[in-house]
Amino acid sequence: MKFETKCVQAGWVPKNGEARVLPIYQSTTFAFDSAQHVADLFDLKVGGHFYTRLSNPTLDAVEQRIAALEGGVGAMLTSAGQAASMISLLTVAHAGDHIVSSSEIYGGTVNLFGVTLEKLGIQFTWVHPDASDAEIEAAIRPNTKAIFGETLANPALSVLDVERWAKVAHRNGLPLILDNTFPTPALCRPFEWGADIIVHASTKYLDGHAVSLGGIIVDSGNFDWAASGRFADFTEPDPSYHGLVYTQAFGKMAYIVKARAQLMRDMGAQAAPFNAFLLNLGMETLPLRMARHSENALKVAEWLSNNPHVRNVRYPGLKGDKYYALAQKYLPQGASGVVTFEVDGSRADTQRLMDAFKLAKIVVHVADARTCVLHPASMTHRQLTDEQLVAAGISPTTVRFSCGIEHIDDILEDLDQAFKATFN
């Protein structure tokens, strides 16, 4: 099936007389005919659902759809994007291990990695997304377990050279884990460029309507955990499953099974069936929405580029942008719906501009059908130091403008009146 068809058809295939639309299995528990069958489920000898903390038929159908869209062998929903990022790393790393991460990633992820996971004994080294191969390799240690980045950084909008980073990772026996939230598989499929694991905050464009919190981890099935030599947890017996060895028992699905059987089992960061149902509805229109988001964002970026009160505009789909060439390679169908710009003024000017918007609402969110705006330095990245803000590509006058799917004339009119109210 083509991508657009998968968005509507993949995951749930009703049998004779079953519901045409994916049902909501709003149940924590499932009934069985024998104790042995339940025992086999607990030992991972057979597939199936026995408790929604681990899996559920509604979640399973949505996971299959997302895996099909990204081109992976399996996927796992989580309660939020932060949970997906956390579990994606805890599946491969534990106390005493080390991760190399791009410095230009979402501020909440910076805190998750640099504060919370550091407290758990996992160390991080930060490198710029434009770092050379040598600089990336210099950050790798004997105890490094993964390289992490964002396909399209939030809010810096730097485009990661996925193919190059993947080659560096693989030369060193490491998986490349990418957050693909902003492009979604409608605009970029990182597995085709060498990425190994993909995470999403499905709360954003995959849902598209700001109604269901969630995250997702997708496994490409391509990374050879045994050949790497760095992942004893995959290649040696797991005592919590009577000595089961993931690479032997599950082959290409070793990673995603381990993520569910160990991390989801113990942490319980599961998505709710109703949220999964809403996410499934949102994904049906994903290619239509992403095309409109990208079209509107490009026009907004062009408008901002001609505004005398804007110091600079960052949008990789805009000719002349630093990442335009990489966007043409990885995002040829559009560079998503977020535009970042710096106001040519003070922090106070920027906040007055924020308050002057009417159609665009100030929200602590991004990437849904409605145009919204945010001031990262005082909101999503508020916990970062000045040095961390610079590393994340943010200044005190940076504005993140998320273009919705409204008519472009109305979006531009709102921008025009807001700038006039602020500077005239």
Side-chain angles (χ1 to χ4, degrees):
M1 293 187 290
K2 302 297 185 185
F3 183 87
E4 292 82 358
T5 306
K6 290 178 183 178
C7 286
V8 179
Q9 297 282 355
W12 173 250
V13 181
K15 300 180 180 66
N16 185 45
E18 288 187 333
R20 181 70 179 91
V21 176
L22 173 66
I24 305 169
Y25 285 82
Q26 194 64 46
S27 178
T28 61
T29 49
F30 305 88
F32 301 94
D33 293 333
S34 73
Q36 184 58 50
H37 186 75
V38 180
D40 289 341
L41 285 167
F42 269 91
D43 284 344
L44 307 181
K45 292 179 179 178
V46 297
H49 313 285
F50 58 91
Y51 196 54
T52 289
R53 173 158 53 85
L54 279 172
S55 64
N56 170 289
T58 303
L59 273 63
D60 179 62
V62 181
E63 288 164 351
Q64 288 187 48
R65 175 171 292 182
I66 296 174
L69 297 182
E70 287 285 15
V73 297
M76 184 177 74
L77 288 172
T78 64
S79 56
Q82 287 289 83
S85 295
M86 176 185 69
I87 291 176
S88 75
L89 293 189
L90 292 181
T91 301
V92 299
H94 48 67
D97 287 336
H98 172 257
I99 304 291
V100 175
S101 176
S102 168
S103 60
E104 292 194 352
I105 58 176
Y106 168 56
T109 309
V110 173
N111 289 327
L112 169 65
F113 292 176
V115 178
T116 301
L117 293 188
E118 287 264 7
K119 288 180 179 178
L120 297 181
I122 301 173
Q123 294 183 316
F124 286 81
T125 297
W126 308 92
V127 297
H128 194 274
D130 299 339
S132 67
D133 291 9
E135 289 172 318
I136 301 170
E137 291 194 318
I140 296 171
R141 305 174 185 174
N143 60 337
T144 302
K145 293 299 178 69
I147 296 180
F148 185 94
E150 290 184 358
T151 315
L152 181 58
N154 172 16
L157 299 184
S158 53
V159 179
L160 197 75
D161 192 342
V162 178
E163 186 174 30
R164 183 171 66 84
W165 276 59
K167 288 179 179 177
V168 174
H170 297 160
R171 279 201 303 270
N172 291 273
L174 296 170
L176 177 62
I177 302 176
L178 285 189
D179 185 327
N180 199 38
T181 295
F182 269 16
T184 81
L187 300 179
C188 181
R189 287 159 53 94
F191 290 157
E192 296 176 357
W193 298 101
D196 301 292
I197 307 296
I198 288 172
V199 298
H200 287 274
S202 61
T203 317
K204 309 303 190 296
Y205 286 123
L206 287 178
D207 167 311
H209 301 85
V211 293
S212 64
L213 197 66
I216 187 77
I217 304 172
V218 190
D219 183 2
S220 70
N222 294 331
F223 190 78
D224 193 332
W225 303 97
S228 167
R230 291 177 179 260
F231 299 96
D233 288 350
F234 285 78
T235 59
E236 296 181 4
D238 179 356
S240 69
Y241 282 106
H242 308 295
L244 177 146
V245 176
Y246 291 98
T247 51
Q248 293 177 4
F250 301 105
K252 286 183 173 293
M253 295 190 68
Y255 174 90
I256 202 66
V257 171
K258 185 176 184 292
R260 187 185 304 277
Q262 279 190 344
L263 279 300
M264 187 61 76
R265 175 196 67 188
D266 294 343
M267 294 186 168
Q270 187 59 282
F274 185 57
N275 278 11
F277 172 82
L278 293 173
L279 170 60
N280 198 60
L281 287 181
M283 286 193 293
E284 291 182 353
T285 60
L286 180 64
L288 302 175
R289 290 186 288 104
M290 294 312 295
R292 183 61 171 265
H293 283 299
S294 299
E295 177 186 345
N296 281 352
L298 179 57
K299 292 178 180 177
V300 164
E302 291 169 343
W303 186 92
L304 289 166
S305 297
N306 294 311
N307 188 300
H309 301 293
V310 174
R311 184 176 295 118
N312 65 66
V313 180
R314 278 173 281 175
Y315 184 69
L318 187 67
K319 289 183 178 179
D321 185 90
K322 177 181 180 181
Y323 294 99
Y324 181 77
L326 284 175
Q328 294 304 296
K329 176 178 180 177
Y330 295 114
L331 303 162
Q333 299 182 70
S336 198
V338 178
V339 180
T340 299
F341 63 93
E342 284 189 56
V343 174
D344 189 10
S346 65
R347 185 172 185 145
D349 292 331
T350 308
Q351 291 179 326
R352 282 196 296 273
L353 175 69
M354 299 282 293
D355 294 344
F357 286 115
K358 295 179 180 178
L359 181 145
K361 300 301 181 184
I362 301 173
V363 300
V364 186
H365 192 244
V366 68
D368 66 55
R370 303 161 192 83
T371 295
C372 56
V373 64
L374 181 140
H375 184 221
S378 61
M379 297 177 187
T380 54
H381 291 63
R382 188 176 184 86
Q383 285 76 26
L384 271 60
T385 64
D386 289 345
E387 292 77 13
Q388 288 175 318
L389 285 173
V390 171
I394 299 166
S395 79
T397 64
T398 295
V399 174
R400 186 181 71 184
F401 195 86
S402 179
C403 301
I405 58 173
E406 304 95 343
H407 195 286
I408 186 59
D409 289 353
D410 294 321
I411 297 174
L412 295 181
E413 182 179 339
D414 191 38
L415 278 162
D416 185 58
Q417 67 81 25
F419 270 94
K420 287 178 177 176
T422 303
F423 293 102
N424 289 353

